[in-house]
Amino acid sequence: MEPFELRDVMSRFATGVVVITVGGPNPHAMTANAFTSVSLTPPSILCSISHNAVMHKALITARRFAVTILDARQQELAAHFADKRRVLGITQFAGIPFHAGPHTGAPLISGALGWLECELIDAHDFGDHTIFISVVLGTERGPGDAGLLFFESRYDRVGPDVPA
C-alpha cells in the first residue's frame, strides 16, 4: 500500500483542528488534527507528531505544552500555524492575541473554543511519527459554539449559525 492511498482515505475522516503550543525560551506552535482524549481518569490526551516537525523536538524539550481548540472563525490561524514557511520563535505569534497558560507558560490563543494545558508522560515511536501521551493539568472552556473541522484536505465549520 502506498502512503498516498492511506492519506486519501483518511481525508474522508472529519477531524477537529487544534494548535499545539510550547512556551519558554523557544516558543513554538503547530496546527494539528491528530489529537484526541485518552482517559477521564486520569485526565489525559494524545497527539501524534511527525519526527520531522519542529514541534517534535520542542515538545520533548519543554515537556509541558498547551492545546488550543480552534473556533470556526479561526481558520486563518490554523493555516498560519500549518505553514512551514512561517518565521519561527516568538515572531510567529506577532499580531495574534494570546496569554501564557498558568500551568505551562505555553501560549493560549485567544478566541478559541477551549484550552488544555498538559504534561508529557509517555511517548511511543511508530513509523514516521511519535504518539505523545500527556496528563491534563488544567482546562478552560471558551465562549464560542462553532468548531473548525478538517475534511477532504480543506477546512470546514460546524455549529449553530456559522457564517459561510
Side-chain angles (χ1 to χ4, degrees), residues 44 116 139:
S44 52
L116 301 97
T139 64

Side-chain angles (χ1 to χ4, degrees), residues 17 31 75 78-80 82 148-151 153-157:
V17 183
T31 301
Q75 179 178 332
H80 171 71
L148 183 61
L149 296 180
F150 198 66
F151 177 74
S153 299
R154 64 180 171 77
Y155 294 104
D156 211 337
R157 303 165 185 216

